[in-house]
Every structure is written in structure tokens, then in C-alpha cells.
Amino acid sequence: MNQWEVVIGIETHVQLSTQSKIFSGASTAFGAAPNVQACAVDLALPGVLPVLNKGAVECAIRFGLAVGAQIAPKSVFARKNYFYPDLPKGYQISQFELPVVVGGGVAIQLGQGENAVEKIVELTRAHLEEDAGKSLHEDFHGKSGIDLNRAGTPLLEIVTEPVMRSSAEAVAYARALHALVRWIGICDGNMQEGSFRCDANVSVRRPGQPFGTRREIKNLNSFRFMQQAIDYEVQWQIATIEDGGKIQQATVLFDPDSGETRAMRSKEDAHDYRYFPDPDLLPLVIDRDWVERTRATMPELPTAKRDRFVADYGLSAYDATALTAALEVADFYEAAVAVAGKASAKPCANWVTVDLAARLNKDGKDIGESPVSAAQLGGLVARIADNTISNNIAKKVFEALWNGEGSTADEIIEKQGLKQITDTGAIETLIDEVLAANAAMVAEFRAGKEKAFNALVGQAMKATKGKANPQQVNELLRKKLG
């Protein structure tokens, strides 16, 4: 494998979050009955003309600003000619020679934990286009149905340079891009509904040699399938070349059941599509004022927020990266810190990325569906910080909040009598009783068996019903035992 270098470029079709289609007023809502959201423009009836959706252009500008790209002051729509049953016009309106967004890059994290390194995946372009309809094969015996609800849905196709060198890098890029388009509000990112679809162009070469012939794996709609598909394709290409074969440029599909890719058709080149400027659409002109007005509405971007979390809250780069993986998580965290106090920024990070994340995962919920609000979690962390409760008791309070047993941590602590015992005299009295009742353990500890001490700590905590400060119990117990 070290004798070969993998070369990967990704093309991603991002469905834009507009209410209507890119060239018509028909709805883009998901799940409607077939063909009820296809108007005369989508059906390509004679005499109809496309009208560009301004909201789709706004989405393209937002993306260009987010990735540091050049937003073209003038771009052109073209007709991409090919026949498909679900493409009534016989061509797709897209952009070719003059796309709306040029260049830019997406930062990805490679490796785990504190050893992670950052890499910038350079982008070639991003262009606006319309989606085609959908052919339905399962519901009709011996024939196919056509659903044109998707026809005309606005897409932003984002194309990278061939700079990724493994399936892990490709997946890291796809995840980062997925998070970014959701963060800036241009796509809902729902991969099951086809809102975010990736095509991976994969080739192999000997190190230092020119690029090999690529094969394009189409319509990867899960990160897991993307990694499996690329890994299989890489091994297949290497084996084919080492056996004396040649790679033919092709479009392939990935079969999750077999874990294999299979050729769908020979890969077309640009000249096969006979691109030419669409005579029904004027060039798209974007002036600086439009760009600056859009910039003013942009949220703080993930990298900037991550750097601020490190600088303002003293978090590690690892924690800050985890907290800025999604805008909802970052906002939840900051809202919790606002209640708990800046001094509790690190404990808040731990609760959000560990305890809350684990509970959400267990129940199959997103953070937006969390029964425990950011304010409630912040209030809980504040009670740990002022020693009202211990970390162990906090977990009980968290579960009670999750189950709706109270509206605040304070209410649950009061109602269930969970306040931590910090009175040294009271704890010493309980420890004396524990030592008197466990003389054998005391003898074992004094004979050098450290495990006996841990057992005595357990007995002392049990005697206090878990409400004593564990560190305080440890210190007082050692003092008593000499």
C-alpha cells in the first residue's frame, strides 16, 4: 500500500434551504405526494421561462464568505444537455465556465485528541444549479414512475481540488462541510432526505507520478458508506493495476450490502454535455453592496468561535473543537456558561461533551431536543462549583432534570434533600462510627493493605448517603487513621 498514493476529490450537492425552487415558485418541502410540487416551469411546458430565486443566490454568497472564496461579480448560467426520463427539458440549468464562487478552503481536523492536526482542503469552485426529478422503480411492476417534485430544487455544487489522500481525510472533509452549511443556515443537512449528497472522485498513482485515471463514486449519503466505498475502490484499483489491467474512467455506485462498487456508465467529460449559455437567463451580477449586506448577517464562524473559546474560556483546542462541531452545541454551551459563570467554563464543557452527549446519544436525541435546557445545566454546574453538591450527586440531579422531576437543580436538591454535608464535625462523627463498626478493615489498612482504605471510604460515603464531599472524607479518614 505504501507504494501507492491515493488521490481524492469530492463533489457535494448541497440542497439550499429556500422555500421555493431555483427557477420557479413551486415548493421545495420534502415528503409531498409525487408530482404535486411540480409547476409548469418544472415540467418544461412550452413557452415557460425560468426566473432566478434571489434566496438561492444569497445562500451561495454566504457560503463563499464562510470559506474565504472569491464571489464572482458576474457569473453565467449554462445548459448542460443530457437525456434522463426525470429531466423533462432534456438539459439541466447549471453553471460551467463562470461559477458564482471560486476558490476558498475548508479546515479539517486529522487525528485524535491533543495530537490532532489541521489541514485546509482547497476548493475549486461552487456553482448554482437545479436538481432533476426522481425515477421510482420499486412501486411499479415492470415499469418505472417519474416524480418531478425534486425537479428545479436549488443546489449548490461544491467541488474540491484533488488534495485528500485517504478515506479518513475525505470523511473528515465531508463532516466539516456538512457542519458548515448547517452552521451558516443554507442547508438542513438531512442526508436521508437527499439534502447533502457527495460524489467521490478516486484514483491511485505511484508517489511522484502524474494523476491516475479517476472513477467517480456517486450519491454517497452517509459518512460510513463514504469511507467503505473509497476504501474498497482504492483496493480494487490497486489490485487491477498490479494484475496488469487499466483503469477506465467511469461513474460507479456503492452497494452497502456487498460493500463493493460497481460501474454504472462510462464517465462523461464536459464536451459530452454540450454546455452553452442559457439564452433565457441574464448573467448573474453580484455587487459589493450585496456581498457586504450578506456579510453583516453572518454568524460567528466555527474556527473563530473555537479560537475564542480557547482564549476566553481557557479550553483546550480539543474541547473547543468538539463544542464547535455544530452551532446548536456551541450556543447551548455558551448559554450554560452564562448561568454557571465563566469560572465554570471547563466543567460546563465536560458536562456538554460527555454527560449530556452520552444521554442524548442513548435516547437518540439531538441537542435541540434535550429535556435539560442550557440554563438548567448551568444551574447544576453552579451548585457543584459552590460545593452545594458533589459530582456524584450532580449526576442524580441531572437524571431528575432529564426526567422532568423539577424545573431547576436547586428545586431538586431541596426536594430530595441532596445538599452536600460540609460540616467537618458532623463528618468526623460519622467517620468515628464507621471506624468503630469496621475494626477488621482498620486493622488491614494498618497492616499495609491500601484496598482496605478504599473500602472504609466507601463505608463512610454510604453512612453520609453520598452527601459528604469525597475529598473531605478522604482527608479526615487518613487523619483519623494516623
Side-chain angles (χ1 to χ4, degrees), residues 78 145 288 309:
R288 290 309 307 171
F309 282 5

Side-chain angles (χ1 to χ4, degrees), residues 68 71 164 174 219 266 280 301 344 353 360 370 380 398 410 433 465 482:
I71 297 162
M164 287 159 278
N219 292 330
S266 60
D280 292 335
L301 294 174
S344 292
T353 59
L360 289 168
S370 172
L380 174 63
F398 177 81
D410 288 341
E433 292 174 3
K465 297 181 181 176

Side-chain angles (χ1 to χ4, degrees), residues 445-469:
F445 171 73
R446 287 180 170 149
K449 293 184 179 178
E450 187 65 27
K451 284 183 180 178
F453 180 79
N454 295 332
L456 287 167
V457 170
Q459 290 297 316
M461 291 303 295
K462 185 178 178 182
T464 65
K465 297 181 181 176
K467 292 192 285 186
N469 184 305

Side-chain angles (χ1 to χ4, degrees), residues 26-40:
S27 172
T28 57
F30 181 81
N35 297 309
V36 300
Q37 292 177 179
C39 69

Side-chain angles (χ1 to χ4, degrees), residues 13-25:
H13 291 89
V14 171
Q15 180 177 322
L16 301 177
S17 297
T18 58
Q19 296 298 308
S20 57
K21 296 183 180 179
I22 189 168
F23 299 118
S24 80

